[in-house]
Amino acid sequence: SSCDPALRPIIRRRTRSLPTSPERRKQAAVQCQVPGWQSRMNRVRFADALGLELTEVKVFQTGEDPSIPLHVLSRLSINSDLWYSSSDLEFTMQCLVPDFQQPADCMDFSSRLQEQQVCLERVSSSDLGLSGSIQVCNVAFEKQVSVRYTFNQWKSLHEVCAHWHSSIPEKNGQDQVDVFTFFLPVPPFLLQLCSVVQFAARYQVNGREYWDNNRGKNYSLTCRTHPLKMPRECEESWIHFI
């Protein structure tokens, strides 16, 4: 499974308050020397150390901690490990790791699908949540596929609908199969060691209900320490910001 956080592109614009050419600065100096020329009211604009505009200014009270996005914290953690590393660019991150083998990689995947009518295909994790795919037998056109999940050992539960993605035509005597995809948002508190997410796939068609709960054990992912490596030449390519 992929546990690396998805990196987001960084777009920066140059502040308009900075001079763009020597001619512009020269023109401004000439205007100030013209007799009777009155200067206009000065305008103040805030910029950071790179001369980039600040889009928002927030004043924090004493004892109030700023809210930092999870993906930023992940990048800052990477930056800290890179800074103190001597030879190899190695660091660790905490992410949700499946406690099971990906069902699509198992030899009995096709037989499980025919037996249960629904079977989880794959699941992957990121700093935003869990993404996965489910296969169901095409029993009828009208069907509903969902994922029921919990963060606290089923003391409370949530359910999210899966969406149709594609169809696999008949082959080797097996009926057509539909592929559905789903996304489970993961709250930040789950990215702590030993936190667990459990879920099961639900398939409703023709007034009947089918489940794939990993043969009664449910599918679970546990937050663990995951080692990552990066080539030394990539050290200068990391830019971290809040």
Side-chain angles (χ1 to χ4, degrees), residues 18-216:
L18 296 179
T20 58
S21 65
E23 290 77 8
R24 181 175 178 182
R25 293 194 295 269
K26 183 178 180 181
Q27 181 181 3
V30 172
Q31 289 178 348
C32 293
Q33 297 174 1
V34 176
W37 183 84
Q38 297 180 354
S39 62
R40 293 178 296 179
M41 182 178 297
N42 293 331
R43 292 184 301 172
V44 178
R45 306 185 73 170
F46 295 94
D48 60 11
L50 299 178
L52 303 172
E53 288 185 328
L54 299 178
T55 59
E56 182 180 358
V57 177
K58 178 176 176 58
V59 179
F60 292 94
Q61 302 296 330
T62 303
E64 181 182 0
D65 296 329
S67 177
I68 303 177
L70 181 61
H71 72 277
V72 174
L73 290 176
S74 299
R75 293 186 178 188
L76 291 175
S77 175
I78 294 174
N79 184 54
S80 176
D81 290 335
L82 289 177
W83 180 265
Y84 291 104
S85 62
S86 56
S87 56
D88 299 329
L89 296 181
E90 298 181 356
F91 48 91
T92 59
M93 294 185 63
Q94 294 178 183
C95 60
L96 292 169
V97 179
D99 298 323
F100 54 90
Q101 183 180 3
Q102 298 287 355
D105 297 334
C106 299
M107 298 297 295
D108 62 344
F109 177 75
S110 297
S111 60
R112 288 179 61 181
L113 178 59
Q114 295 299 318
E115 176 187 350
Q116 302 172 162
Q117 301 295 304
V118 53
C119 191
L120 174 71
E121 186 178 33
R122 294 185 182 278
V123 64
S124 61
S125 64
S126 69
D127 59 343
L128 299 179
L130 303 178
S131 302
S133 57
I134 300 171
Q135 290 192 16
V136 299
C137 295
N138 187 27
V139 178
F141 179 78
E142 294 291 338
K143 58 177 68 71
Q144 182 176 355
V145 181
S146 60
V147 175
R148 184 170 293 181
Y149 62 100
T150 180
F151 301 138
N152 53 12
Q153 301 292 330
W154 302 107
K155 295 177 182 178
S156 62
L157 55 88
H158 312 272
E159 191 160 348
V160 63
C161 291
H163 302 281
W164 182 88
H165 178 267
S166 60
S167 295
I168 302 176
E170 301 179 11
K171 63 178 180 180
N172 299 329
Q174 296 182 354
D175 296 335
Q176 176 179 314
V177 173
D178 288 334
V179 180
F180 285 73
T181 59
F182 64 91
F183 174 77
L184 305 181
V186 173
F189 68 81
L190 277 180
L191 292 181
Q192 300 177 1
L193 290 180
C194 300
S195 297
V196 179
V197 179
Q198 293 179 289
F199 70 91
R202 182 187 185 191
Y203 178 32
Q204 296 171 287
V205 61
N206 281 349
R208 300 190 62 180
E209 186 174 86
Y210 303 93
W211 287 86
D212 176 22
N213 57 5
N214 195 21
R215 300 196 181 279

